Amino acid sequence: MVQTKQLVAELKMNQSTRNLAFSGDGSRMVSSGNDGKVYLWDMNTRSCLNVFQDEGSVNTTAVAMSPSGEHVIVGYVLPHHADHPHALICVCDMWLL
């Protein structure tokens, strides 16, 4: 039985963690940092299953996982766009795992 506030694991990424989300059953977790990489974790073994680059993103602002754990959506902001130089452009990429 895990007690409240007891450290059960440490999962290491190459950059600082900015966002994370769990699958509906808690068996998987997805995390992202400020390097555009997205990490998929197996929470039963506490191991990294995959690392992929979210192309076009260097600063992920949000990440979510579908309840089934089959899809991941990653959001980021493009600060300047040629068509709208003063607007922030929000982009979301969806991945099938």
Side-chain angles (χ1 to χ4, degrees), residues 54-57 59-63 73-81 88-95:
D54 186 22
E55 297 298 329
S57 170
N59 195 359
T60 305
T61 57
V63 65
I73 190 162
V74 178
Y76 54 94
V77 175
L78 298 175
H80 301 286
H81 189 271
L88 293 176
I89 307 297
C90 298
V91 180
C92 292
D93 294 333
M94 182 183 284
W95 301 88

Side-chain angles (χ1 to χ4, degrees), residues 1-19:
M1 179 88 176
V2 176
Q3 297 176 3
T4 303
K5 297 183 183 179
Q6 178 182 354
L7 179 65
V8 293
E10 286 186 357
L11 307 174
K12 304 276 184 181
M13 292 177 36
N14 290 336
Q15 294 285 328
S16 59
T17 304
R18 295 183 57 115
N19 309 283

Side-chain angles (χ1 to χ4, degrees), residues 34-53:
N34 56 1
D35 61 354
K37 292 182 181 172
V38 179
Y39 294 74
L40 177 64
W41 303 91
D42 181 319
M43 296 311 297
N44 296 316
T45 63
R46 309 290 200 271
S47 61
C48 183
L49 299 173
N50 197 4
V51 178
F52 56 94
Q53 181 74 34

Side-chain angles (χ1 to χ4, degrees), residues 22-42:
F22 287 93
S23 61
D25 64 2
S27 66
R28 289 182 171 184
M29 181 182 75
V30 63
S31 62
S32 64
N34 56 1
D35 61 354
K37 292 182 181 172
V38 179
Y39 294 74
L40 177 64
W41 303 91
D42 181 319

